[in-house]
Amino acid sequence: WENDKLFAPPYDLNLIPSNNPTCGWENLNAQTTVMTKLPCSIEELFSKGVNTWTYHGVSWFWTSVDIPENWKGKQVLLRVENARQRLEVYVNENLAGYDLVDETFYITEISKFLKPDEPNTIAFRITNPGGVRGWADFPGTPWGNYELPASHDFSGIGGKVTLSAVPDIYISDVFIKNLQPFEEKKIDVISTIDNHEALKGNVEIELEIKEKETGKQVFKKRSLSSLNGSIEQLDTLTVSVEDARYWTLEDPNLYKFTVKIEKEATTHEKTVVSGFRVIESRVVNDKHNFYLNGKRLRLRSAIDWGYYALTGLYATDNMAFKSVKAARDIGHNGINFHRRIGEPLVFKYANEMGLYLYEEPGGFHSGGQGYTIRDSTITAQLMVEKCRRMVLRDRNHPSLLFYNLANEDQHWDAVRERAMNAMNRMDNSRFIFNSSGGNGGGPGTAIRHTRPYESEIRMDCRDLHTVKSESRFQESDLHTPNHSHKIDNSLLLYGEVRCYAGPDNAYAIVEDSTHEERVGYDLNIYKPMHDKLEGFFNDFNLAESGSKLITSPEMITKQAGRGLMYIDGRLGQTILANNSSDGYAINGWSGGPQVNPAWASAILDEGRNLKGPAEDFAYWVRDLQVAIFRKNGKYFQPGDSIKFDLHLINEGKLPGGNYLLKIRVIDGAGEFTGIEKQLPVEVEGGDTYAQLIASDFSVFANENWHPGYITIQGKLYQNEQLMTDGAEQILLQNRKAYKSQLSEHNIFVYNWKEAREAIQDAGRQIADLDSAEIILAGEPGDHKEFSSILEKVSQHGAKTIIRFDSIWSDVLVKESVLKTAPVEWGGVQTRFWNGNGWGYIDHFVGNQVIPSKTIIGTNSWEVPSDPYGFWPFKSDHELKVYGAFFARLDKILILAGEINYGNGKILLLPTYPVDENNAFNDLIFYNAVFN
């Protein structure tokens, strides 16, 4: 196959050589075969669960079908929804179809090869020359002397295969095109009539529209159309449907549109599902914005690379459903298909559940990135055809609002222009962008695009990519200039925002697999962590530990994902607080094998499981909220001035008018500090979706405030009715405020200077060992003295907190407190989109965290550095864990471990010690003492 001559559409089968099985047709069933169902990929069937396994070459799929008697004399169409890479169709050993356009539909007419009275063998010969296992879609795929557009390196049939019988005159396509103005609920019903015999004369056409859910008819009309003798012609019927309901995010109404043609004894009908909705741009007071059904629209989305756990090539029904549901759950309203053509099942659920989609074909690069698709080459022919099929396949989906040719490649040439113009002619009811972002990322320049109901290629659109990140939240992200552009004479998108990484939910991926007879192409990535999490959950009784939020093994890594949810939620909030912005897409939505074994930046994992709690994210991206941003840091002490800006995000929820903003400050114990201020606010309303309502609001930290999370609350009222709210937090270090709590305990300090200072700074004297209820141990010392400490714990119920390290581990093994000494230490979190390693801390952060209350991720805003942990954690005594660190493929470290030792307990706390003397480490230390 390597040196084959390749063919681009339109295909002439008479010029294409037939390739019989190497073993001969008669021996095909004698080879090593697997009984399977479609869709499936070669990789999931034969890789034995190793994601690095690839198969570049030929595979055969075949089956036997019986043709109904009443199909005689009709055309029989075979449709393949998705195949990769080259598809050759054989019917009863005859070449009946050929296609080189990957991952989109292909149709061929096969009636002349069929035998109506006996079983028919239909076989697919699939050839995979290679491809990409990663995020990039710009390395071309070499095949002999050819270079094909980039696509994912999988082989197989990734969608349905169907047979249908049609008469000589039939409807091959129906496009429901929404028209302006949206108030008229007016559509063009554009039917493509295939006239096999090139007949002339009149044909009756009937249009019927029914509600998809109820089957209620809302419209019906019959008319005459004239056949002009063409093999293919279009019939357009323009109608307004007053009783139709709009398709919206909140109420995604769908309709079945059935077009039926009759000519003498010949009838045929075709039904498509679509909806009534109009996407457009409007310029109001020199501001360019998106509008859906007359209401301003801002996008909350993320980019999906199109990899799917275990299957690789395609989404299962469950994964597609989970993807759409997750977007809704976190407060997003869209998903961007990124560097790969959209997934049909995701379209289905987006239509039904209400979600906006953005689609690009993948691989369309022409100089801005990687290889160049040059005009008059097979590569250009394939790419333009893929764009054509993409539009033809997906233009009836009401969820689809935007087409895009390529990511971060603004190159402009004849190929791009031809593709964009062709797409616009097929469907000018949506936006079409030449590129997302500037070449190679960054802020980008003006983006060529066409707007709905226009054909002019415009330049007044900016798409800014801010794909940079560290291993932890950066305070600068709360007020970064990249999110505060004020561009009123242009559309303004943030097409890729940051790229913080987070832990895959390995347990859920393995448990959720519906392919019991198939190992899956990348099980090796997830199975080790799955097994370790299962043991971790049971061994340390996590269901009864700390906040008791970890109710199953799959919840463990989800807690470590809280930091990711906080960071990406706050990034979204900062963009929404800028009225000029038209939306954003977080980089990214779902993961994949980008750089194994590193984690990918994504909100979901490859199995479409959320990496953290949905509510943590949703809190920050609400379409109605008081958005408060701290301005001068995160750590403070009594006497410091703390400054905030307060914005109102109001996406058409509140009308303009006079309101009252009430600001209150809550201390680290959840108590009202007495600081309260009321400010009148004039809400602009209308198309103003964000406004600054209070600038440089400042408070002075009081020495009477309880330390920890200080919360500034903003609540907006009208006529004493609460309309919306919001909050921001800082951390206060105030050791003196712990005096009353410490006075309830006798505390002995053993070889730990910094802990001694922390207790004394709080105004508490150090007790002797005999009277101690709490013992703080910093460094190992005299064996006899430590034996006395252990006795105090075991016999008298004291609690000992140890600043744990490798030296202590040897001591505890010798004292039979631990069964084995930990051999792994550390917990380095790496940065950027391929970052790896994240943790969580439970119980010792109190219960004032917004919005998660009792658990934080170690990459969130509070933490000053990487965590530090240990493994293994084994003892003959009962153990509990209050914090852990995870890194692929199966690395787990304990950040806070507890040993029930006789009548007392020993707390091993190696991470964030009080020695560092900052607000966060103090919080951990004092909560460990009190709890």
Side-chain angles (χ1 to χ4, degrees), residues 721-739:
Q721 181 181 355
L722 178 63
M723 309 306 294
T724 189
D725 62 5
E728 177 63 290
Q729 293 185 308
I730 58 92
L731 280 175
L732 179 69
Q733 184 182 34
N734 185 13
R735 290 180 171 181
K736 291 181 179 179
Y738 286 113
K739 182 175 181 179

Side-chain angles (χ1 to χ4, degrees), residues 428-475:
N428 72 343
S429 67
R430 292 174 170 88
F431 287 87
I432 307 174
F433 300 107
N434 177 53
S435 174
S436 171
N439 291 345
T445 57
I447 302 294
R448 285 182 173 85
H449 67 288
T450 59
R451 298 189 179 186
Y453 311 104
E454 297 179 1
S455 58
E456 173 194 0
I457 296 178
R458 307 173 61 133
M459 298 290 285
D460 45 357
C461 174
R462 300 292 187 275
D463 187 347
L464 311 180
H465 288 195
T466 58
V467 187
K468 297 178 181 178
S469 66
E470 299 299 328
S471 59
R472 290 174 295 282
F473 181 74
Q474 303 298 297
E475 285 295 295

Side-chain angles (χ1 to χ4, degrees), residues 307-339:
Y307 285 94
Y308 294 93
L310 306 179
T311 69
L313 182 61
Y314 62 93
T316 64
D317 187 84
N318 185 45
M319 284 190 281
F321 172 80
K322 286 195 298 183
S323 191
V324 174
K325 183 178 184 301
R328 295 296 309 263
D329 287 348
I330 67 169
H332 269 192
N333 59 18
I335 295 175
N336 287 23
F337 295 121
H338 179 74
R339 299 184 183 270

Side-chain angles (χ1 to χ4, degrees), residues 69 76 114-115 137 159 304 421 574 581 632-633 673 713 742:
E69 186 71 22
V76 178
L114 294 171
K115 303 173 182 177
D137 71 332
D304 188 330
N421 287 334
T574 63
S581 69
N632 60 332
T673 63
Q713 298 176 341
L742 288 176

Side-chain angles (χ1 to χ4, degrees), residues 99-129:
D99 193 37
L100 201 58
V101 183
D102 67 302
E103 296 186 296
T104 186
F105 73 92
Y106 170 70
I107 300 173
T108 184
E109 204 280 316
I110 63 171
S111 59
K112 67 180 181 181
F113 304 108
L114 294 171
K115 303 173 182 177
D117 301 323
E118 56 185 275
N120 291 262
T121 297
I122 296 179
F124 298 148
R125 183 178 187 259
I126 304 293
T127 310
N128 175 23

Side-chain angles (χ1 to χ4, degrees), residues 240 280 294 363 821 884 930:
S240 292
E280 58 189 333
F930 300 141

Side-chain angles (χ1 to χ4, degrees), residues 268-288:
H268 185 255
E269 67 179 45
K270 187 174 183 65
T271 299
V272 297
V273 175
S274 192
F276 291 83
R277 66 105 190 93
V278 173
I279 178 71
E280 58 189 333
S281 63
R282 293 184 180 181
V283 181
V284 180
N285 297 326
D286 293 327
K287 294 180 175 65
H288 294 230

